[in-house]
Amino acid sequence: MNRRTTTLFAALALTTGLALTGCSSDSTAGADGTAGADSMPELKVSGAFMPQPVMDMAGGFLTIENKSGTADRLTSVTSPISDDVTIHETKNQKMQEVKSFDIPANGELKLERGGNHIMFMELKQKPKQGEKVSIELHFEKADPINVDLPVEAANHNPKQH
């Protein structure tokens, strides 16, 4: 082989190696070794509560903070208290079920009274103030998170405290 052919083969081998490395789905670190944009979301739940239900349905409220550069979505909520748990948005004072909520990278999702929230229909039992209701939050990327919702007074609203 002549020198030009050897150089061409070397360049092709290097390019192929770099292309294969770039296609790896396990690549979560940047060139400096820090987590890249496709790393697992870091989600933290705070401010969770459920107002004491007065009927056979209830609402759930909480904040999900994303401390990573990777966006995620809340896709569903499950709970032993109800077989019918859904997530709702409120637009123009109308409540509507949605399939998911975005959790922006380095941002948060607030589920609060008068806004986006969790709905529990056909409760198997009505929890009383001071009790806790367990739920599991399911996400598009992150592992599920178990949360205990403290049951507060029916008119509890953290914005007013």
Side-chain angles (χ1 to χ4, degrees), residues 1-73:
M1 276 202 262
N2 67 27
R3 197 167 130 148
R4 183 174 214 180
T5 304
T6 305
T7 304
L8 179 61
F9 281 131
L12 282 173
L14 180 61
T15 303
T16 302
L18 289 173
L20 290 174
T21 302
C23 291
S24 169
S25 62
D26 294 334
S27 177
T28 57
D32 61 354
T34 59
D38 60 349
S39 63
M40 194 68 125
E42 293 176 39
L43 306 178
K44 179 184 171 194
V45 177
S46 63
F49 75 97
M50 171 189 279
Q52 181 175 315
V54 292
M55 299 174 13
D56 70 340
M57 66 176 87
F61 308 97
L62 51 82
T63 299
I64 302 170
E65 184 179 3
N66 185 352
K67 296 180 172 228
S68 74
T70 302
D72 205 347
R73 289 179 185 266

Coordinates of all heavy atoms in Angstrom, one line a residue, residues 1-73:
M1 N 0.8 -1.2 0.0 CA 0.0 0.0 0.0 C 0.9 1.2 0.0 O 1.9 1.3 0.6 CB -0.9 0.0 1.3 CG -2.1 -0.8 1.2 SD -3.3 -0.2 2.3 CE -3.1 -1.3 3.6
N2 N 0.4 2.3 -0.7 CA 1.2 3.5 -0.6 C 0.7 4.3 0.6 O -0.2 4.1 1.3 CB 1.0 4.2 -2.0 CG -0.4 4.8 -2.2 OD1 -1.1 5.0 -1.3 ND2 -0.7 4.9 -3.5
R3 N 1.5 5.4 0.8 CA 1.2 6.2 2.0 C -0.1 6.9 2.0 O -0.8 7.0 3.0 CB 2.4 7.3 2.0 CG 2.5 7.9 3.3 CD 3.8 8.7 3.2 NE 3.6 10.0 3.6 CZ 4.5 10.7 4.3 NH1 5.7 10.2 4.5 NH2 4.3 11.9 4.6
R4 N -0.6 7.3 0.8 CA -1.9 7.9 0.7 C -3.0 7.0 1.0 O -3.9 7.4 1.7 CB -2.0 8.4 -0.8 CG -3.3 9.2 -1.0 CD -3.3 9.8 -2.3 NE -4.0 11.1 -2.2 CZ -4.2 11.9 -3.2 NH1 -3.8 11.6 -4.4 NH2 -4.9 13.0 -3.0
T5 N -3.0 5.7 0.6 CA -4.0 4.7 0.9 C -4.0 4.5 2.4 O -5.0 4.4 3.0 CB -3.7 3.5 0.1 OG1 -3.7 3.8 -1.3 CG2 -4.8 2.4 0.3
T6 N -2.8 4.3 3.0 CA -2.7 4.1 4.4 C -3.3 5.2 5.2 O -4.1 5.0 6.2 CB -1.2 3.9 4.8 OG1 -0.7 2.9 4.0 CG2 -1.1 3.6 6.3
T7 N -3.1 6.5 4.8 CA -3.6 7.6 5.5 C -5.1 7.7 5.4 O -5.9 8.0 6.3 CB -3.0 8.9 4.9 OG1 -1.6 8.9 5.0 CG2 -3.5 10.2 5.6
L8 N -5.6 7.3 4.2 CA -7.1 7.2 3.9 C -7.7 6.2 4.9 O -8.7 6.5 5.5 CB -7.4 6.9 2.5 CG -8.9 6.8 2.1 CD1 -9.6 8.1 2.4 CD2 -9.0 6.4 0.6
F9 N -7.1 5.0 4.9 CA -7.7 4.0 5.8 C -7.7 4.4 7.3 O -8.6 4.2 8.0 CB -6.9 2.6 5.7 CG -7.3 1.9 4.5 CD1 -6.3 1.4 3.6 CD2 -8.6 1.6 4.2 CE1 -6.7 0.6 2.5 CE2 -9.0 0.9 3.1 CZ -8.0 0.4 2.2
A10 N -6.6 5.1 7.7 CA -6.5 5.5 9.1 C -7.6 6.6 9.4 O -8.2 6.6 10.4 CB -5.1 6.1 9.3
A11 N -7.8 7.5 8.4 CA -8.8 8.5 8.6 C -10.2 7.9 8.7 O -11.1 8.3 9.5 CB -8.8 9.5 7.5
L12 N -10.5 6.9 7.8 CA -11.8 6.2 7.8 C -12.0 5.4 9.2 O -13.1 5.5 9.7 CB -11.9 5.2 6.7 CG -12.2 5.8 5.3 CD1 -12.1 4.8 4.2 CD2 -13.6 6.4 5.3
A13 N -10.9 4.8 9.6 CA -11.0 4.0 10.9 C -11.3 5.0 12.1 O -12.2 4.7 12.9 CB -9.8 3.2 11.2
L14 N -10.6 6.1 12.1 CA -10.9 7.1 13.1 C -12.3 7.7 13.1 O -13.0 7.8 14.1 CB -9.8 8.2 13.0 CG -9.9 9.4 14.0 CD1 -9.7 8.8 15.4 CD2 -8.9 10.4 13.8
T15 N -12.7 8.0 11.9 CA -14.1 8.6 11.7 C -15.1 7.6 12.1 O -16.1 7.9 12.8 CB -14.3 9.0 10.2 OG1 -13.3 9.9 9.8 CG2 -15.7 9.6 10.0
T16 N -15.0 6.3 11.7 CA -15.9 5.3 12.1 C -15.9 5.1 13.6 O -17.0 5.0 14.2 CB -15.5 3.9 11.4 OG1 -15.5 4.1 10.0 CG2 -16.5 2.8 11.8
G17 N -14.8 5.1 14.2 CA -14.7 5.0 15.7 C -15.4 6.1 16.4 O -16.1 5.9 17.3
L18 N -15.2 7.3 15.9 CA -15.9 8.5 16.5 C -17.4 8.4 16.3 O -18.1 8.8 17.2 CB -15.3 9.8 15.9 CG -13.9 10.1 16.3 CD1 -13.4 11.3 15.6 CD2 -13.8 10.4 17.8
A19 N -17.8 8.0 15.1 CA -19.2 7.9 14.8 C -19.9 6.9 15.7 O -21.0 7.1 16.3 CB -19.5 7.6 13.4
L20 N -19.2 5.8 15.9 CA -19.8 4.7 16.8 C -19.9 5.2 18.2 O -20.8 4.9 18.9 CB -19.0 3.4 16.7 CG -19.2 2.7 15.3 CD1 -18.2 1.5 15.3 CD2 -20.6 2.2 15.1
T21 N -18.8 5.9 18.7 CA -18.8 6.4 20.0 C -20.0 7.4 20.2 O -20.7 7.4 21.2 CB -17.5 7.1 20.3 OG1 -16.5 6.2 20.1 CG2 -17.5 7.7 21.8
G22 N -20.2 8.3 19.2 CA -21.3 9.3 19.3 C -22.7 8.6 19.3 O -23.6 9.2 19.8
C23 N -22.8 7.4 18.8 CA -24.1 6.8 18.8 C -24.5 6.0 20.0 O -25.5 5.5 20.2 CB -24.2 5.8 17.6 SG -24.2 6.7 16.0
S24 N -23.5 5.9 20.9 CA -23.7 5.1 22.1 C -24.8 5.7 23.0 O -24.8 6.9 23.3 CB -22.4 5.0 22.9 OG -22.7 4.5 24.2
S25 N -25.8 4.9 23.4 CA -26.9 5.4 24.2 C -26.5 5.5 25.7 O -27.2 6.1 26.5 CB -28.1 4.5 24.1 OG -27.8 3.2 24.6
D26 N -25.4 5.0 26.0 CA -24.9 5.1 27.4 C -24.1 6.3 27.7 O -23.7 6.6 28.8 CB -24.0 3.9 27.7 CG -24.8 2.6 27.7 OD1 -26.0 2.6 27.9 OD2 -24.1 1.5 27.5
S27 N -23.9 7.1 26.6 CA -23.1 8.3 26.8 C -23.8 9.4 27.6 O -24.6 10.1 27.0 CB -22.7 8.9 25.4 OG -22.0 10.0 25.5
T28 N -23.5 9.5 28.9 CA -24.1 10.5 29.7 C -23.2 11.6 30.2 O -23.5 12.5 30.8 CB -24.8 9.9 30.9 OG1 -23.9 9.1 31.6 CG2 -26.0 9.0 30.4
A29 N -21.9 11.4 29.9 CA -20.9 12.3 30.4 C -20.4 13.2 29.3 O -20.2 12.7 28.1 CB -19.7 11.6 31.1
G30 N -20.2 14.5 29.6 CA -19.6 15.4 28.6 C -18.1 15.1 28.5 O -17.5 14.3 29.2
A31 N -17.4 15.9 27.7 CA -16.0 15.8 27.5 C -15.2 16.0 28.8 O -14.2 15.5 29.0 CB -15.5 16.7 26.4
D32 N -15.8 16.8 29.7 CA -15.1 17.2 30.9 C -15.5 16.2 32.1 O -15.1 16.4 33.2 CB -15.5 18.6 31.4 CG -17.0 18.8 31.6 OD1 -17.8 17.9 31.3 OD2 -17.3 19.9 32.1
G33 N -16.3 15.1 31.7 CA -16.6 14.1 32.7 C -17.9 14.4 33.5 O -18.4 13.6 34.3
T34 N -18.5 15.6 33.3 CA -19.7 15.9 34.0 C -20.9 15.3 33.3 O -20.9 15.0 32.1 CB -19.9 17.4 34.1 OG1 -20.0 18.0 32.8 CG2 -18.8 18.0 34.9
A35 N -22.0 15.2 34.0 CA -23.2 14.7 33.4 C -23.7 15.5 32.2 O -23.7 16.8 32.3 CB -24.4 14.6 34.4
G36 N -24.1 14.9 31.1 CA -24.5 15.6 29.9 C -26.0 15.8 29.9 O -26.7 15.4 30.9
A37 N -26.6 16.3 28.9 CA -28.0 16.7 28.8 C -28.9 15.4 28.8 O -30.0 15.5 29.0 CB -28.2 17.5 27.5
D38 N -28.3 14.2 28.4 CA -29.1 13.1 28.3 C -29.0 12.2 29.6 O -29.3 11.0 29.6 CB -28.8 12.3 27.1 CG -27.4 11.8 27.0 OD1 -26.6 12.3 27.8 OD2 -27.1 11.0 26.1
S39 N -28.5 12.8 30.7 CA -28.4 12.0 32.0 C -29.8 11.9 32.6 O -30.8 12.5 32.1 CB -27.5 12.7 32.9 OG -28.0 14.0 33.3
M40 N -29.9 11.0 33.6 CA -31.2 10.8 34.2 C -31.7 12.0 35.0 O -30.9 12.7 35.6 CB -31.1 9.6 35.2 CG -32.4 9.1 35.7 SD -33.2 8.3 34.4 CE -33.5 6.7 35.1
P41 N -33.0 12.4 34.9 CA -33.5 13.5 35.6 C -33.3 13.3 37.1 O -33.4 12.2 37.6 CB -35.0 13.6 35.3 CG -35.1 12.8 34.0 CD -34.0 11.8 34.1
E42 N -33.1 14.4 37.9 CA -33.0 14.4 39.3 C -34.2 15.1 39.9 O -34.3 16.3 39.9 CB -31.7 15.1 39.8 CG -30.4 14.4 39.4 CD -29.2 15.2 39.8 OE1 -29.2 15.8 40.9 OE2 -28.2 15.2 39.0
L43 N -35.2 14.3 40.3 CA -36.5 14.9 40.7 C -36.6 14.8 42.2 O -36.3 13.8 42.9 CB -37.6 14.1 40.0 CG -37.6 14.0 38.5 CD1 -38.7 13.2 38.0 CD2 -37.5 15.4 37.9
K44 N -37.2 15.9 42.8 CA -37.5 16.0 44.2 C -38.9 16.5 44.4 O -39.3 17.5 43.8 CB -36.4 16.9 44.9 CG -36.6 17.1 46.4 CD -35.6 18.1 46.9 CE -36.0 18.4 48.3 NZ -35.3 19.6 48.8
V45 N -39.6 15.9 45.3 CA -41.0 16.3 45.6 C -41.1 17.1 46.9 O -40.5 16.7 47.9 CB -41.9 15.1 45.6 CG1 -43.4 15.5 46.0 CG2 -41.9 14.3 44.3
S46 N -41.8 18.2 46.9 CA -42.0 18.9 48.1 C -43.5 19.5 48.2 O -44.2 19.5 47.2 CB -41.0 20.1 48.2 OG -41.2 21.0 47.1
G47 N -43.9 20.0 49.3 CA -45.1 20.6 49.5 C -46.4 19.8 49.2 O -47.4 20.3 48.9
A48 N -46.2 18.4 49.3 CA -47.3 17.5 49.0 C -48.4 17.6 50.1 O -48.2 17.6 51.3 CB -46.8 16.1 48.9
F49 N -49.7 17.6 49.6 CA -50.8 17.4 50.5 C -52.1 17.1 49.8 O -52.2 17.2 48.5 CB -51.1 18.7 51.3 CG -51.7 19.9 50.5 CD1 -53.0 20.1 50.6 CD2 -50.9 20.7 49.8 CE1 -53.6 21.2 49.9 CE2 -51.5 21.8 49.0 CZ -52.8 22.0 49.1
M50 N -53.1 16.6 50.5 CA -54.4 16.3 50.0 C -55.4 17.0 51.0 O -55.4 16.7 52.1 CB -54.7 14.8 49.9 CG -56.2 14.5 49.6 SD -56.6 12.7 49.8 CE -56.0 12.1 48.3
P51 N -56.3 17.9 50.5 CA -57.3 18.4 51.3 C -58.3 17.2 51.7 O -58.5 16.4 50.9 CB -58.1 19.4 50.5 CG -57.1 19.7 49.3 CD -56.3 18.5 49.1
Q52 N -58.7 17.3 53.0 CA -59.7 16.2 53.4 C -60.9 16.2 52.5 O -61.5 17.2 52.3 CB -60.1 16.4 54.9 CG -61.0 15.4 55.4 CD -61.4 15.6 56.8 OE1 -60.5 15.8 57.6 NE2 -62.7 15.4 57.2
P53 N -61.1 15.0 51.9 CA -62.2 14.9 50.9 C -63.6 15.1 51.6 O -63.8 14.6 52.8 CB -62.1 13.5 50.3 CG -60.9 12.9 51.0 CD -60.4 13.8 52.0
V54 N -64.5 15.7 51.0 CA -65.9 15.9 51.5 C -66.9 15.0 50.7 O -68.0 14.8 51.2 CB -66.4 17.3 51.5 CG1 -65.6 18.2 52.5 CG2 -66.3 18.0 50.1
M55 N -66.4 14.5 49.6 CA -67.2 13.6 48.8 C -66.4 12.3 48.5 O -65.4 12.1 49.2 CB -67.7 14.3 47.5 CG -68.5 15.5 47.8 SD -69.0 16.5 46.3 CE -68.6 15.7 44.9
D56 N -66.7 11.6 47.5 CA -65.9 10.4 47.1 C -64.8 10.7 46.1 O -64.4 9.8 45.4 CB -66.8 9.2 46.7 CG -67.4 9.5 45.3 OD1 -67.5 10.6 44.9 OD2 -67.8 8.5 44.7
M57 N -64.4 11.9 46.1 CA -63.3 12.3 45.2 C -62.4 13.3 46.0 O -62.8 13.9 47.0 CB -63.7 12.9 43.9 CG -64.5 14.2 44.1 SD -64.9 15.0 42.5 CE -66.5 14.2 42.2
A58 N -61.1 13.4 45.5 CA -60.2 14.3 46.2 C -59.2 14.8 45.2 O -59.0 14.3 44.1 CB -59.5 13.6 47.4
G59 N -58.5 15.9 45.6 CA -57.4 16.4 44.8 C -56.1 16.2 45.6 O -56.0 16.1 46.8
G60 N -55.0 16.2 44.8 CA -53.7 16.1 45.3 C -52.8 17.2 44.8 O -52.9 17.5 43.6
F61 N -51.9 17.7 45.6 CA -51.1 18.9 45.2 C -49.7 18.7 45.7 O -49.5 18.2 46.8 CB -51.7 20.1 45.8 CG -53.2 20.3 45.5 CD1 -54.1 19.9 46.4 CD2 -53.6 20.8 44.2 CE1 -55.5 20.0 46.1 CE2 -54.9 20.9 43.9 CZ -55.9 20.5 44.9
L62 N -48.7 19.1 44.9 CA -47.3 19.0 45.2 C -46.5 19.7 44.2 O -47.0 20.2 43.2 CB -46.9 17.5 45.3 CG -47.2 16.6 44.1 CD1 -46.3 16.7 43.0 CD2 -47.3 15.1 44.6
T63 N -45.2 19.8 44.5 CA -44.2 20.4 43.5 C -43.2 19.4 43.2 O -42.7 18.8 44.2 CB -43.6 21.7 44.1 OG1 -44.7 22.7 44.4 CG2 -42.6 22.3 43.2
I64 N -42.8 19.3 42.0 CA -41.7 18.4 41.5 C -40.6 19.3 41.0 O -40.9 20.0 40.0 CB -42.2 17.4 40.5 CG1 -43.3 16.5 41.0 CG2 -41.0 16.5 40.1 CD1 -44.0 15.7 39.9
E65 N -39.5 19.3 41.7 CA -38.4 20.1 41.2 C -37.4 19.2 40.5 O -37.1 18.1 40.9 CB -37.7 20.7 42.5 CG -36.5 21.6 42.1 CD -35.9 22.2 43.3 OE1 -36.3 21.9 44.5 OE2 -35.0 23.0 43.1
N66 N -36.9 19.7 39.3 CA -36.0 18.9 38.5 C -34.6 19.7 38.6 O -34.5 20.8 38.1 CB -36.4 18.9 37.1 CG -35.5 18.1 36.2 OD1 -34.5 17.6 36.6 ND2 -36.0 17.9 34.9
K67 N -33.7 19.0 39.3 CA -32.4 19.6 39.5 C -31.3 19.2 38.5 O -30.1 19.1 38.8 CB -31.9 19.3 40.9 CG -32.7 19.9 42.0 CD -32.2 19.5 43.4 CE -33.0 20.3 44.4 NZ -32.2 20.9 45.4
S68 N -31.8 18.8 37.3 CA -30.8 18.3 36.3 C -31.1 19.0 35.0 O -32.0 19.7 34.8 CB -31.0 16.8 36.1 OG -32.2 16.5 35.4
G69 N -30.2 18.8 34.1 CA -30.3 19.4 32.7 C -31.1 18.5 31.8 O -31.2 18.8 30.6
T70 N -31.8 17.5 32.3 CA -32.7 16.7 31.5 C -34.1 16.8 31.9 O -34.5 16.6 33.0 CB -32.3 15.2 31.7 OG1 -30.9 15.0 31.4 CG2 -33.1 14.2 30.9
A71 N -34.9 17.2 30.9 CA -36.4 17.4 31.1 C -37.0 16.0 31.3 O -36.5 15.0 30.8 CB -37.0 18.1 29.9
D72 N -38.2 16.0 31.9 CA -38.9 14.7 32.1 C -40.4 15.0 32.0 O -40.8 16.2 31.7 CB -38.6 14.1 33.4 CG -38.8 12.6 33.4 OD1 -39.4 12.0 32.5 OD2 -38.3 11.9 34.3
R73 N -41.2 14.0 32.1 CA -42.7 14.2 32.1 C -43.3 13.3 33.2 O -42.9 12.2 33.4 CB -43.3 13.7 30.8 CG -43.0 14.5 29.6 CD -43.7 13.9 28.4 NE -43.4 14.6 27.2 CZ -44.1 15.5 26.7 NH1 -45.3 15.9 27.3 NH2 -43.8 16.2 25.6

